[in-house]
Amino acid sequence: SRSTKLIHGGVRYLEKAFFQMDYGQLKLVFEALHERKTMLHNARHLADLLPILTPCYNLYEIPYYWAGMKAYDLLAYASNSGLALSRFMPASEANRLFPTLAKSRPDGKSLQGTVLYYDGQFDDARMNVALACTSALAGAAVANYTKVVALTKDVNGIVNGARVKDMISGREFDIGAKVVLNATGIHADAIRQLSDKTRPSMVTASAGVHVTLPDYYSPTSTGLIVPKTKDGRVVFMLPWLGATIAGTTDSPGEITMRPRATKEDLDFILDAISDYVTVQVRKEDVLSVWSGLRGLATDPTQSSQDTENVCRDHVVMREEDGLVTVTAGKWTTYRRMAQDAVDTVLETGGISGGPCVTDNLPIVGAVGWRADLYTEVAQNYVVPHRPGAIDTKVAEHLARAYGDRAARITKIAEESKLGKRLVRGHPQIEAEVVYCAKHEFCMTPMDFLAHRTRLAFLDVRATEQAIPRVVELMGQTLGWGYWRRMQETRKALAELKNFECPV
C-alpha cells in the first residue's frame, strides 16, 4: 500500500545494465516490461498508462535521456510489450503540458526541453485486495489479520504447516500443508528463522518516502521524474487519485511493521521539488506523509547497506526443511514472482499441475470494466437522499476503485440510504464501508480508510473527520457494541498519526 504506484520496467535498472554490463539487470527490465503490459490488461480498472516528463536543464542531458528512453522503447517492443513511444518535447510544449514545471532553476539554468516517456500507474492496496478476492473466487481460503507465530514440522524435520494467530479475536489455530510458501516481503527472514534461528538474514529493506500535496502541484494526467537532484537522489511528482504525490526511493530502511518518514526526509523532498516547479512549495500544503519498505535480496555474507546497487530481481529459494521462500522483486512483477514460487511449490511437494494461466486472467472488477463505465454508474443510480443523478466524481471513483463491482455499492447506497460522501471534498461514500466489511475482508476502520479507499494516504485531516462515521457504519455491519466502537476509534486515531507530518 506504500509503494510509488508505478508499474514500470525500470529505466534506472536499464542504465545500470548498460554501464555495468550487467545481464541480470537487463533481464529484469525485459521481464518487468512484459509484466507491465500484463498488469495493465488484467487490472484495467486499477491501472492506467501515465505519461512522464524528464526535464533537461543542460543541453547534454537531452541526447543522454533521449537515447536511454529509446533503448527502453526498443526493449519493450522487443518483448512485445510496447505501450507508446518516447519523444523529445521542446520547453514551450512541455510547459503547456505541465504548467507548473519551472522554466529555470535556482542555479540559473533554463529548461532546454524534456523527454516524454510512458509507464503505468495503479492503486496498489486495492490491487492487493482484488488479488485476494480473485483467489477466493478461484477456491483459495483467505484469512486477513492473521499472524504466523510458529512453523510445525513432521518427524523428519520437514515443515508441514503453521501455527497462526487471529489478530482480531486472539485465537490461535494450526494450518496443515504439503508445502509452506513464505511470501511475506520484508518479513521473510522472520519466518525463515522461525524454523531455524541460526539462518543468516537475506533481506535488506529499501525505504521510499512520499508526500501527498494538493492537485495543483501537477497536471491531472502527467508525471515528472528528476533522475538526479542536487545530492544525486531521484525525485518524482506524480498525479494520483486527485492529488499529487512527491517522493524519493532507495534509502536504507529498518524493517518494521509501521515505517515512518523523518523530518529530514520531508525537508529533502520539499526542497528538491521546489527547484523544478513554479508553485511556492510550503510545508502547510502537505496533506499526508508516508514511508514504505521494499525487500531486496542480498548475499548474507556481505555487509554493504547500499540499496541502490542491489539487484531488484526476485528470488525463490527452497530450504533443507522444505520451506519455500519468495522475496525481493517489485509490484510490477508480482505475477511472475507468484508463477515461479508456485512452480517451486509444486515441484517440492510432488504435486501435479497444469501450466500457469494467470498471464491472461483478469482480476475481480476488471472483467466487465470499460473506460466509460462511470457513465452507466451515474445514470443507473437512484440517489436516495436527494433527486437527480449521482455526482460524476463519485461515479468515476466507484468505477475506478471497484470496476464492474461498482453497481453492488450503488445498490447498497440505494437500499440503505448510504449515498452520502464520508467527508466533504472526497468521493468516497458511506455504502463503501458496508461493502468492504462484507465482501473485502475489511474489519477495522483504518484498514478501510488506508487500504480500501486510500483516504489516509490522500488527506489526514479528512480521514480524521471520517473516522466517527466509518466506525458507526462498520459497527452496525459487524455487530460492535459501545466499548468496541470506542476502542476502534482510539486505534484508528493512533494509527493515523503515522501519516502526519513528522516534527
PDB file of all heavy atoms in Angstrom, residues 121-143:
ATOM      1  N   GLN A 121       0.587   3.279 -14.036  1.00  0.00           N
ATOM      2  CA  GLN A 121       0.318   3.677 -12.656  1.00  0.00           C
ATOM      3  C   GLN A 121      -0.890   2.887 -12.158  1.00  0.00           C
ATOM      4  O   GLN A 121      -1.795   2.574 -12.939  1.00  0.00           O
ATOM      5  CB  GLN A 121       0.045   5.175 -12.561  1.00  0.00           C
ATOM      6  CG  GLN A 121      -0.057   5.695 -11.133  1.00  0.00           C
ATOM      7  CD  GLN A 121      -0.331   7.192 -11.081  1.00  0.00           C
ATOM      8  OE1 GLN A 121      -1.241   7.689 -11.743  1.00  0.00           O
ATOM      9  NE2 GLN A 121       0.435   7.918 -10.281  1.00  0.00           N
ATOM     10  N   PHE A 122      -0.915   2.589 -10.852  1.00  0.00           N
ATOM     11  CA  PHE A 122      -2.008   1.763 -10.330  1.00  0.00           C
ATOM     12  C   PHE A 122      -2.284   2.108  -8.868  1.00  0.00           C
ATOM     13  O   PHE A 122      -1.542   2.864  -8.235  1.00  0.00           O
ATOM     14  CB  PHE A 122      -1.677   0.276 -10.490  1.00  0.00           C
ATOM     15  CG  PHE A 122      -0.662  -0.261  -9.505  1.00  0.00           C
ATOM     16  CD1 PHE A 122      -0.969  -1.350  -8.709  1.00  0.00           C
ATOM     17  CD2 PHE A 122       0.611   0.297  -9.384  1.00  0.00           C
ATOM     18  CE1 PHE A 122      -0.037  -1.870  -7.806  1.00  0.00           C
ATOM     19  CE2 PHE A 122       1.546  -0.221  -8.497  1.00  0.00           C
ATOM     20  CZ  PHE A 122       1.212  -1.300  -7.699  1.00  0.00           C
ATOM     21  N   ASP A 123      -3.359   1.533  -8.354  1.00  0.00           N
ATOM     22  CA  ASP A 123      -3.720   1.657  -6.947  1.00  0.00           C
ATOM     23  C   ASP A 123      -3.264   0.371  -6.262  1.00  0.00           C
ATOM     24  O   ASP A 123      -3.901  -0.678  -6.389  1.00  0.00           O
ATOM     25  CB  ASP A 123      -5.236   1.842  -6.813  1.00  0.00           C
ATOM     26  CG  ASP A 123      -5.684   2.109  -5.381  1.00  0.00           C
ATOM     27  OD1 ASP A 123      -4.972   1.680  -4.448  1.00  0.00           O
ATOM     28  OD2 ASP A 123      -6.745   2.733  -5.196  1.00  0.00           O
ATOM     29  N   ASP A 124      -2.135   0.443  -5.544  1.00  0.00           N
ATOM     30  CA  ASP A 124      -1.502  -0.766  -5.022  1.00  0.00           C
ATOM     31  C   ASP A 124      -2.335  -1.516  -3.985  1.00  0.00           C
ATOM     32  O   ASP A 124      -2.466  -2.741  -4.046  1.00  0.00           O
ATOM     33  CB  ASP A 124      -0.108  -0.450  -4.472  1.00  0.00           C
ATOM     34  CG  ASP A 124      -0.082   0.733  -3.523  1.00  0.00           C
ATOM     35  OD1 ASP A 124      -1.152   1.317  -3.251  1.00  0.00           O
ATOM     36  OD2 ASP A 124       1.018   1.094  -3.058  1.00  0.00           O
ATOM     37  N   ALA A 125      -2.901  -0.812  -3.025  1.00  0.00           N
ATOM     38  CA  ALA A 125      -3.664  -1.501  -1.977  1.00  0.00           C
ATOM     39  C   ALA A 125      -4.929  -2.141  -2.528  1.00  0.00           C
ATOM     40  O   ALA A 125      -5.288  -3.272  -2.162  1.00  0.00           O
ATOM     41  CB  ALA A 125      -4.008  -0.537  -0.843  1.00  0.00           C
ATOM     42  N   ARG A 126      -5.624  -1.442  -3.413  1.00  0.00           N
ATOM     43  CA  ARG A 126      -6.827  -2.034  -3.998  1.00  0.00           C
ATOM     44  C   ARG A 126      -6.457  -3.205  -4.909  1.00  0.00           C
ATOM     45  O   ARG A 126      -7.213  -4.160  -5.045  1.00  0.00           O
ATOM     46  CB  ARG A 126      -7.639  -0.979  -4.746  1.00  0.00           C
ATOM     47  CG  ARG A 126      -8.357  -0.021  -3.796  1.00  0.00           C
ATOM     48  CD  ARG A 126      -9.765   0.313  -4.278  1.00  0.00           C
ATOM     49  NE  ARG A 126     -10.568  -0.845  -4.585  1.00  0.00           N
ATOM     50  CZ  ARG A 126     -11.241  -1.577  -3.692  1.00  0.00           C
ATOM     51  NH1 ARG A 126     -11.218  -1.238  -2.406  1.00  0.00           N
ATOM     52  NH2 ARG A 126     -11.953  -2.620  -4.075  1.00  0.00           N
ATOM     53  N   MET A 127      -5.299  -3.139  -5.521  1.00  0.00           N
ATOM     54  CA  MET A 127      -4.825  -4.264  -6.322  1.00  0.00           C
ATOM     55  C   MET A 127      -4.624  -5.482  -5.423  1.00  0.00           C
ATOM     56  O   MET A 127      -5.002  -6.605  -5.768  1.00  0.00           O
ATOM     57  CB  MET A 127      -3.505  -3.877  -6.995  1.00  0.00           C
ATOM     58  CG  MET A 127      -2.903  -4.963  -7.869  1.00  0.00           C
ATOM     59  SD  MET A 127      -3.802  -5.153  -9.406  1.00  0.00           S
ATOM     60  CE  MET A 127      -2.889  -6.509 -10.155  1.00  0.00           C
ATOM     61  N   ASN A 128      -4.043  -5.264  -4.260  1.00  0.00           N
ATOM     62  CA  ASN A 128      -3.811  -6.348  -3.316  1.00  0.00           C
ATOM     63  C   ASN A 128      -5.116  -6.996  -2.874  1.00  0.00           C
ATOM     64  O   ASN A 128      -5.243  -8.224  -2.816  1.00  0.00           O
ATOM     65  CB  ASN A 128      -3.040  -5.802  -2.111  1.00  0.00           C
ATOM     66  CG  ASN A 128      -2.413  -6.882  -1.274  1.00  0.00           C
ATOM     67  OD1 ASN A 128      -1.838  -7.828  -1.802  1.00  0.00           O
ATOM     68  ND2 ASN A 128      -2.522  -6.759   0.031  1.00  0.00           N
ATOM     69  N   VAL A 129      -6.108  -6.156  -2.558  1.00  0.00           N
ATOM     70  CA  VAL A 129      -7.419  -6.658  -2.140  1.00  0.00           C
ATOM     71  C   VAL A 129      -8.080  -7.430  -3.281  1.00  0.00           C
ATOM     72  O   VAL A 129      -8.657  -8.507  -3.082  1.00  0.00           O
ATOM     73  CB  VAL A 129      -8.317  -5.494  -1.685  1.00  0.00           C
ATOM     74  CG1 VAL A 129      -9.749  -5.969  -1.458  1.00  0.00           C
ATOM     75  CG2 VAL A 129      -7.773  -4.859  -0.420  1.00  0.00           C
ATOM     76  N   ALA A 130      -7.992  -6.883  -4.502  1.00  0.00           N
ATOM     77  CA  ALA A 130      -8.608  -7.541  -5.659  1.00  0.00           C
ATOM     78  C   ALA A 130      -7.968  -8.907  -5.917  1.00  0.00           C
ATOM     79  O   ALA A 130      -8.653  -9.861  -6.304  1.00  0.00           O
ATOM     80  CB  ALA A 130      -8.485  -6.660  -6.898  1.00  0.00           C
ATOM     81  N   LEU A 131      -6.661  -9.014  -5.700  1.00  0.00           N
ATOM     82  CA  LEU A 131      -5.985 -10.303  -5.870  1.00  0.00           C
ATOM     83  C   LEU A 131      -6.478 -11.322  -4.835  1.00  0.00           C
ATOM     84  O   LEU A 131      -6.688 -12.497  -5.158  1.00  0.00           O
ATOM     85  CB  LEU A 131      -4.473 -10.124  -5.752  1.00  0.00           C
ATOM     86  CG  LEU A 131      -3.790  -9.423  -6.935  1.00  0.00           C
ATOM     87  CD1 LEU A 131      -2.346  -9.101  -6.593  1.00  0.00           C
ATOM     88  CD2 LEU A 131      -3.860 -10.287  -8.188  1.00  0.00           C
ATOM     89  N   ALA A 132      -6.672 -10.865  -3.598  1.00  0.00           N
ATOM     90  CA  ALA A 132      -7.192 -11.757  -2.556  1.00  0.00           C
ATOM     91  C   ALA A 132      -8.599 -12.225  -2.905  1.00  0.00           C
ATOM     92  O   ALA A 132      -8.941 -13.413  -2.742  1.00  0.00           O
ATOM     93  CB  ALA A 132      -7.180 -11.048  -1.205  1.00  0.00           C
ATOM     94  N   CYS A 133      -9.427 -11.313  -3.393  1.00  0.00           N
ATOM     95  CA  CYS A 133     -10.805 -11.660  -3.770  1.00  0.00           C
ATOM     96  C   CYS A 133     -10.821 -12.604  -4.968  1.00  0.00           C
ATOM     97  O   CYS A 133     -11.638 -13.528  -5.034  1.00  0.00           O
ATOM     98  CB  CYS A 133     -11.601 -10.393  -4.079  1.00  0.00           C
ATOM     99  SG  CYS A 133     -11.900  -9.335  -2.651  1.00  0.00           S
ATOM    100  N   THR A 134      -9.914 -12.374  -5.922  1.00  0.00           N
ATOM    101  CA  THR A 134      -9.814 -13.255  -7.090  1.00  0.00           C
ATOM    102  C   THR A 134      -9.394 -14.657  -6.663  1.00  0.00           C
ATOM    103  O   THR A 134      -9.932 -15.659  -7.145  1.00  0.00           O
ATOM    104  CB  THR A 134      -8.805 -12.690  -8.105  1.00  0.00           C
ATOM    105  OG1 THR A 134      -9.162 -11.338  -8.434  1.00  0.00           O
ATOM    106  CG2 THR A 134      -8.787 -13.512  -9.383  1.00  0.00           C
ATOM    107  N   SER A 135      -8.452 -14.736  -5.727  1.00  0.00           N
ATOM    108  CA  SER A 135      -8.013 -16.036  -5.205  1.00  0.00           C
ATOM    109  C   SER A 135      -9.157 -16.762  -4.516  1.00  0.00           C
ATOM    110  O   SER A 135      -9.333 -17.975  -4.680  1.00  0.00           O
ATOM    111  CB  SER A 135      -6.856 -15.838  -4.220  1.00  0.00           C
ATOM    112  OG  SER A 135      -5.758 -15.227  -4.848  1.00  0.00           O
ATOM    113  N   ALA A 136      -9.934 -16.015  -3.731  1.00  0.00           N
ATOM    114  CA  ALA A 136     -11.072 -16.621  -3.029  1.00  0.00           C
ATOM    115  C   ALA A 136     -12.091 -17.175  -4.024  1.00  0.00           C
ATOM    116  O   ALA A 136     -12.630 -18.274  -3.830  1.00  0.00           O
ATOM    117  CB  ALA A 136     -11.721 -15.593  -2.105  1.00  0.00           C
ATOM    118  N   LEU A 137     -12.354 -16.438  -5.103  1.00  0.00           N
ATOM    119  CA  LEU A 137     -13.289 -16.914  -6.124  1.00  0.00           C
ATOM    120  C   LEU A 137     -12.775 -18.181  -6.805  1.00  0.00           C
ATOM    121  O   LEU A 137     -13.559 -19.019  -7.242  1.00  0.00           O
ATOM    122  CB  LEU A 137     -13.523 -15.821  -7.168  1.00  0.00           C
ATOM    123  CG  LEU A 137     -14.498 -14.707  -6.800  1.00  0.00           C
ATOM    124  CD1 LEU A 137     -14.571 -13.673  -7.927  1.00  0.00           C
ATOM    125  CD2 LEU A 137     -15.900 -15.269  -6.535  1.00  0.00           C
ATOM    126  N   ALA A 138     -11.444 -18.298  -6.884  1.00  0.00           N
ATOM    127  CA  ALA A 138     -10.840 -19.472  -7.523  1.00  0.00           C
ATOM    128  C   ALA A 138     -10.756 -20.668  -6.574  1.00  0.00           C
ATOM    129  O   ALA A 138     -10.298 -21.740  -6.970  1.00  0.00           O
ATOM    130  CB  ALA A 138      -9.451 -19.114  -8.044  1.00  0.00           C
ATOM    131  N   GLY A 139     -11.176 -20.480  -5.313  1.00  0.00           N
ATOM    132  CA  GLY A 139     -11.205 -21.598  -4.371  1.00  0.00           C
ATOM    133  C   GLY A 139     -10.221 -21.520  -3.231  1.00  0.00           C
ATOM    134  O   GLY A 139     -10.181 -22.426  -2.390  1.00  0.00           O
ATOM    135  N   ALA A 140      -9.428 -20.462  -3.162  1.00  0.00           N
ATOM    136  CA  ALA A 140      -8.461 -20.337  -2.071  1.00  0.00           C
ATOM    137  C   ALA A 140      -9.169 -19.958  -0.771  1.00  0.00           C
ATOM    138  O   ALA A 140     -10.207 -19.296  -0.785  1.00  0.00           O
ATOM    139  CB  ALA A 140      -7.418 -19.272  -2.411  1.00  0.00           C
ATOM    140  N   ALA A 141      -8.608 -20.392   0.356  1.00  0.00           N
ATOM    141  CA  ALA A 141      -9.092 -19.970   1.667  1.00  0.00           C
ATOM    142  C   ALA A 141      -8.252 -18.763   2.083  1.00  0.00           C
ATOM    143  O   ALA A 141      -7.035 -18.876   2.237  1.00  0.00           O
ATOM    144  CB  ALA A 141      -8.944 -21.095   2.682  1.00  0.00           C
ATOM    145  N   VAL A 142      -8.882 -17.613   2.232  1.00  0.00           N
ATOM    146  CA  VAL A 142      -8.174 -16.362   2.506  1.00  0.00           C
ATOM    147  C   VAL A 142      -8.450 -15.924   3.939  1.00  0.00           C
ATOM    148  O   VAL A 142      -9.607 -15.885   4.370  1.00  0.00           O
ATOM    149  CB  VAL A 142      -8.618 -15.254   1.528  1.00  0.00           C
ATOM    150  CG1 VAL A 142      -7.909 -13.941   1.841  1.00  0.00           C
ATOM    151  CG2 VAL A 142      -8.336 -15.668   0.089  1.00  0.00           C
ATOM    152  N   ALA A 143      -7.401 -15.607   4.686  1.00  0.00           N
ATOM    153  CA  ALA A 143      -7.546 -15.142   6.067  1.00  0.00           C
ATOM    154  C   ALA A 143      -6.785 -13.830   6.232  1.00  0.00           C
ATOM    155  O   ALA A 143      -5.568 -13.784   6.021  1.00  0.00           O
ATOM    156  CB  ALA A 143      -7.028 -16.178   7.054  1.00  0.00           C
TER     157      ALA A 143
END
